[in-house]
Amino acid sequence: MTDPLDFSGKTALVVGGSSGIGNGMAQAFRAAGAEVHVWGTRASAADYAEEEGSDLTGLHYTHVDVSDPEAIDAAPAIDRLDTLILCQGAVQYGRGEFTREGWHKVVDVNLTSVMDCGRKFHPALKEADGSLQIISSTAAFHATIGNPAYGASKAAAVALVRNLAAAWARDGIRVNGIAPGFVKTKMTKVTFDDEERTEQAISKIPLRRTGDPAELASAALFLASPMASYILGQTLVVDGGLTLT
Ligand SMILES: NC(=O)c1ccc[n+]([C@@H]2O[C@H](COP(=O)([O-])OP(=O)(O)OC[C@H]3O[C@@H](n4cnc5c(N)ncnc54)[C@H](OP(=O)(O)O)[C@@H]3O)[C@@H](O)[C@H]2O)c1
């Protein structure tokens, strides 16, 4: 019997695969045999060498700032793409998202660039009967008081999963999503560098711990695999129970 989680001969691209959750996903697909491309904001892979949560070993890195639609259009094409994971994410702290500039910075990355990347790779995914996964957040399902753009863009990402899933199923593309809870990464450093905020965050999680990028990667492998062949338009919540409380 063939192993459904063997991705040998397959190609994956993880946008936002240079760091944190996306990097964990990229390395999981590489470990499962895939050829893996990642995009990030820095000029070269070497620029991530000292960064905690960034392991670019064995990954093909390309610098693409996805907040610039023209940069997405100009990025190298991939003829046949089995799995596209859109894991790019931005947040503004200190009430920055209440300003027009801050709002656009977050929405451009968390929502507009997701559609731009999906549009760019639609032909390559169609060619491969591939799958697309959009990484949103549990913030899609509850208020995040200081982050209106983050919450709204992540809720929109969940809606986009449903819409693209319905639209692109006829092209042989399966679209699904993953909504992570709390994971220690560059993005959540502000919370987890502070002992009191860490305790507060963890107290809300029934499993009483943060998630690991590898645990999010397991969900991504499953959704990309033939084991999920009849799952369409769903956002899988991977949050240790955070949204249950
Ligand atoms: N950590 C959590 O608790 C949590 C919870 C729910 C949802 N999420 C979501 O999970 C995803 C990954 O976040 P993370 O926690 O792993 O944070 P992270 O380590 O900061 O990773 C964010 C990724 O997005 C990339 N990115 C940001 N802006 C970009 C831009 N303009 N162009 C291209 N790439 C850009 C980053 O590139 P660089 O490495 O070059 O900066 C990085 O690869 C995000 O969508 C986030 O909203 C995270």
Side-chain angles (χ1 to χ4, degrees):
M1 201 176 104
T2 52
D3 177 359
L5 295 172
D6 179 1
F7 286 83
S8 303
K10 307 282 186 192
T11 302
L13 166 63
V14 185
V15 177
S18 53
S19 170
I21 295 170
N23 189 247
M25 290 177 173
Q27 286 297 355
F29 275 89
R30 180 174 86 102
E35 195 72 25
V36 184
H37 299 260
V38 296
W39 287 4
T41 62
R42 298 188 187 172
S44 74
D47 295 323
Y48 293 94
E50 304 298 317
E51 192 70 53
E52 199 186 326
S54 293
D55 174 10
L56 296 193
T57 316
L59 307 175
H60 305 285
Y61 176 77
T62 308
H63 169 213
V64 184
D65 179 352
V66 298
S67 65
D68 174 3
E70 286 175 13
I72 296 175
D73 292 347
I78 297 173
D79 292 338
R80 226 190 106 90
L81 185 61
D82 299 283
T83 301
L84 173 61
I85 298 183
L86 299 176
C87 198
Q88 64 268 42
V91 68
Q92 296 255 311
Y93 295 108
R95 304 190 77 75
E97 294 181 15
F98 287 86
T99 68
R100 181 172 292 146
E101 194 199 0
W103 170 273
H104 281 295
K105 273 194 172 157
V106 171
V107 173
D108 284 354
V109 173
N110 292 1
L111 180 59
T112 308
S113 86
V114 171
M115 187 62 198
D116 284 337
C117 291
R119 186 187 302 111
K120 179 182 176 77
F121 289 106
H122 172 262
L125 289 169
K126 184 176 174 180
E127 183 65 31
D129 281 337
S131 73
L132 163 61
Q133 292 174 34
I134 295 173
I135 312 309
S136 55
S137 168
T138 50
F141 309 114
H142 57 78
T144 45
I145 302 169
N147 299 94
Y150 189 81
S153 59
K154 291 300 186 178
V158 173
L160 189 59
V161 166
R162 288 191 287 262
N163 282 280
L164 294 183
W168 291 352
R170 72 195 66 162
D171 299 324
I173 303 169
R174 272 190 316 105
V175 181
N176 285 294
I178 295 174
F182 280 122
V183 182
K184 286 183 194 165
T185 64
K186 202 165 62 187
M187 179 178 275
T188 51
K189 203 171 170 351
V190 206
T191 301
F192 295 110
D193 275 354
D194 180 319
E195 214 169 293
E196 207 181 307
R197 288 176 76 171
T198 302
E199 257 174 49
Q200 226 176 32
I202 289 179
S203 71
K204 295 181 192 147
I205 307 170
L207 280 183
R208 290 289 182 270
R209 64 175 179 84
T210 55
D212 189 87
E215 293 176 301
L216 278 303
S218 301
L221 288 170
F222 164 68
L223 286 175
S225 80
M227 293 171 85
S229 55
Y230 206 55
I231 301 179
L232 198 73
Q234 301 304 305
T235 289
L236 186 54
V237 175
V238 183
D239 70 346
L242 176 67
T243 44
L244 300 176
T245 57

